[in-house]
Amino acid sequence: MNPRTALVTGASSGIGEATARILKKEGFTVYAAARRVDAMKSLEAAGVHIVPLDLTDEVSIRACVDAIFARGGRIDVLVNNAGYGSHGAIEDVTIEEARRQFEVNIFGLARLTQLVLPNMRENGFGKIVNVTSIGGKMSMPFGGWYHATKYALEGWSDALRIETAPFGIDVIIVEPGGIKTPWGSIAADHLRTASGAGAYAAAATKAADGMAKYYAGKQLSDPLVIAQTIGRAVTASKPQTRYAAGYLAKTILLLRWLLSDRLFDRMIVSMAG
Ligand SMILES: NC(=O)c1ccc[n+]([C@@H]2O[C@H](COP(=O)([O-])OP(=O)(O)OC[C@H]3O[C@@H](n4cnc5c(N)ncnc54)[C@H](OP(=O)(O)O)[C@@H]3O)[C@@H](O)[C@H]2O)c1
């Protein structure tokens, strides 16, 4: 039997890059996709195929899928991992940027999934991994637009799981906690740009500094922790519907479940300093 084929988005960095490597080691034929193709040179050297992908661009999404089908004819595993945090006070983030946030974290991902599903249905097999976040079940101040996309992805994935199960397709939600990647500095930069001046400036600047420090620190988990979780999930005959992994993921989700909204808010405010 030919090796299974996997497409991993957001593979130029962090969790996606680590996942592409792990799936390659597991014996998959792996396609790594992102905008920065140069940043995927080391994956290419490891035998991973590189495809350009901009999730805000329909033409790019189609071209990515067509290139893989032209080469291999099938996609067995789709890891929808690409995403970023468009942080800033809800009032400050422009609606244009908020739409872009949804375009990358939801609509681009959804369009890609729509284009892959017919092939998975024909094959009677598929694993779709949607990388959400513990931030798809709890919100931090100044992350409102980001959390809205991740909450949306949680609900969308639950419906997709039920709709596609009869075709032999598993939909798997992966909820990382704090993972040491450039994600934190990118979100902190967005926060400074959106809210570095104006009514929220003092709290937003403090939050951005805290976030940058937290992501530069040592306590966060290595992206390998999530990559290994994804590797286990896509090779399991009966994967779980959800996997929470990485720094504080399970603890925070348990507290969110146990505490009232007001108590949880107080905990978040004290955590955010
Ligand atoms: N790090 C954490 O603590 C954490 C926690 C929970 C959830 N997550 C989630 O995990 C996923 C991976 O994040 P990460 O931590 O690995 O962050 P990262 O290192 O910043 O990687 C993000 C990836 O998304 C890609 N991307 C961004 N915009 C894109 C676009 N328009 N089109 C295509 N690709 C795009 C980037 O590639 P290009 O810039 O080259 O396009 C990059 O490869 C994200 O969905 C994130 O929300 C992360």
Side-chain angles (χ1 to χ4, degrees), residues 39-52:
M40 296 189 283
K41 287 269 183 249
S42 70
L43 280 180
E44 195 169 23
V48 170
H49 304 287
I50 304 306
V51 217

Side-chain angles (χ1 to χ4, degrees), residues 10 12-13 15 35-36 54-55 81 146 150 177 179 181-182 215:
S12 62
S13 174
I15 294 170
R35 291 169 303 176
R36 289 169 298 153
D54 182 347
L55 285 165
N81 160 76
Y146 172 72
K150 295 298 188 181
I179 311 297
T181 73
Y215 273 84

